[in-house]
Amino acid sequence: MPPSAAPTPAPAAAAPASPTAADSTLGKAVAYGTQYDPTLLFPLPRQAQRAALGLAGERLPFTGADLWTAYELSWLTPRGRPQVALALLTVPCESPNIVESKSLKLYLNSFTMTCLESADALRAALVQDLSAACGARVGVKLILPEAFDAQPIRELAGVSLDRLDIDCDRYDHPTPDLLGAALDEQPVTETLVSHLLKSNCPVTGQPDWASVQIAYTGPQIDQAGLLRYLVSYRGHSDFHEHCVERIFTDLWTRCQPIRLQVYARYTRRGGLDINPWRSSHPASLPSAVRTARQ
C-alpha cells in the first residue's frame, strides 16, 4: 500500500449522542488502518462517572491531568523512510471528554504509512485532533530516538503501605468505610505508596495494574485501613481516570485532609499507559517517569 500524503490536521468526527464505551471499538475485532484518520478517535464524556461520585456541575474538588505515554508511534518522511518516537500526552482533568484507549491506539496506528514533513508536523496533528476529541487543549511532547536512553525508570516516592502484614477480605468493589483518620489529633504531612492497586476494564474485563501515590496534609490516615481500601478495588470495573477520582473523593470525604494529591501509574496495554493525577490545590504536574512495571 503506498504511503499517503502529509495530513492536514482535522477535528475528530462527532461521537454519537451520550456515547458509552459499549459504542466504541473496545473489545471488538477491527481492522487496523495505516492511513491518517482522526475520525478514529472516540470521545467518552466524563460527567456520567463523576455524577456517580456526587460531582455535579462544573466545579470539581480537584485539579489535575491524565498523563498518557504512547510507545507505538511511527510515520514516514517525505522520502518514505520510517520514523519512530514516544509521545507524552497531557489531558487536563477539566476536559469534558476522555478518549477511549483503543480508539487512540487505532488513531496513532493510522500514521504508520503517512508521510509527514517533520516531527513537528506530527505533533501539530496530534495536538489538534486530540484537543478536538477531548474538548480542551491536550499537551503533546515527542521523544525522539536520540533521547530514548535519557528516559529514567524509577518508583514512586513515599512510605510503602505494602510493608504492612494485614488480612484482606474485601475485593468486589471499593469500600470507603475501611478508611479512617485521627481527626482529633494534630495534622501531619506524609506521602504513602502502594503497588497493589488493581481493577478491571469495564468493557473487556482485562486487569489493570497500578502503583498509586497518596500525598496529603491533614489528620493522619490509618495506613492499614487505607491499604485494605486500595485492595478492595481488585474486583472493581472502571476506567483508570474514574478509579483515581473515586480514591481522591473517598479520601477527601472520609479522612478530611487539608491538602491531597493522588497519582497512579498504570501498566501499559496496547502500547499505551494512562496515569491520572488529581490534586486538591494548584501544583506542578508530577514527572512522567515510568515505573519498572511500565
Side-chain angles (χ1 to χ4, degrees):
M1 178 182 296
S4 67
T8 299
S18 303
T20 68
D23 301 315
S24 74
T25 57
L26 189 59
K28 301 171 185 174
V30 295
Y32 277 70
T34 57
Q35 306 292 337
Y36 169 68
D37 185 0
T39 67
L40 292 167
L41 291 169
F42 191 89
L44 286 172
R46 297 184 189 265
Q47 189 51 45
Q49 293 293 331
R50 287 177 172 171
L53 298 177
L55 305 178
E58 297 182 358
R59 186 171 180 81
L60 298 171
F62 48 71
T63 185
D66 305 324
L67 310 178
W68 295 60
T69 313
Y71 296 92
E72 300 174 6
L73 180 59
S74 185
W75 68 101
L76 302 179
T77 68
R79 297 173 60 191
R81 182 176 181 275
Q83 304 286 288
V84 297
L86 303 178
L88 304 181
L89 314 177
T90 303
V91 182
C93 74
E94 295 82 8
S95 67
N97 304 319
I98 60 175
V99 173
E100 189 277 308
S101 60
K102 185 172 181 179
S103 79
L104 178 56
K105 178 179 175 63
L106 292 168
Y107 163 72
L108 296 176
N109 195 75
S110 77
F111 286 96
T112 301
M113 296 295 288
T114 298
C115 291
L116 293 163
E117 288 293 331
S118 64
D120 287 340
L122 171 63
R123 180 183 174 278
L126 293 174
V127 169
Q128 181 159 322
D129 296 341
L130 292 171
S131 298
C134 293
R137 184 172 177 82
V138 173
V140 177
K141 178 181 179 181
L142 297 182
I143 300 174
L144 301 179
E146 53 266 29
F148 284 177
D149 63 355
Q151 303 309 303
I153 296 177
R154 65 171 178 260
E155 298 307 309
L156 297 172
V159 176
S160 175
L161 295 171
D162 304 344
R163 76 189 192 283
L164 301 174
D165 185 15
I166 62 171
D167 295 328
C168 298
D169 58 6
R170 309 279 188 94
Y171 306 108
D172 293 337
H173 55 80
T175 310
D177 61 9
L178 293 168
L179 294 170
L183 301 180
D184 57 349
E185 297 181 6
Q186 289 297 309
V188 302
T189 297
E190 63 181 356
T191 300
L192 307 172
V193 172
S194 176
H195 304 295
L196 303 185
L197 181 61
K198 182 256 177 195
S199 55
N200 301 309
C201 172
V203 178
T204 67
Q206 294 182 23
D208 295 321
W209 307 93
S211 297
V212 62
Q213 180 187 67
I214 296 164
Y216 74 97
T217 296
Q220 188 163 37
I221 295 173
D222 173 59
Q223 294 185 9
L226 175 56
L227 182 56
R228 291 188 179 97
Y229 167 76
L230 295 175
V231 170
S232 75
Y233 279 78
R234 200 165 183 85
H236 179 61
S237 295
D238 212 340
F239 291 119
H240 303 12
E241 301 90 340
H242 302 144
C243 286
V244 169
E245 292 185 358
R246 183 181 292 274
I247 293 170
F248 182 100
T249 303
D250 285 345
L251 285 168
W252 190 252
T253 302
R254 296 275 176 159
C255 300
Q256 303 177 30
I258 301 166
R259 289 190 162 205
L260 175 65
Q261 295 186 41
V262 179
Y263 182 32
R265 299 286 307 183
Y266 278 85
T267 59
R268 76 180 82 168
R269 186 179 325 131
L272 298 167
D273 63 38
I274 308 170
N275 310 287
W277 170 72
R278 300 293 183 267
S279 175
S280 64
H281 53 281
S284 299
L285 286 173
S287 58
V289 176
R290 68 185 178 101
T291 65
R293 292 195 295 167
Q294 294 183 295

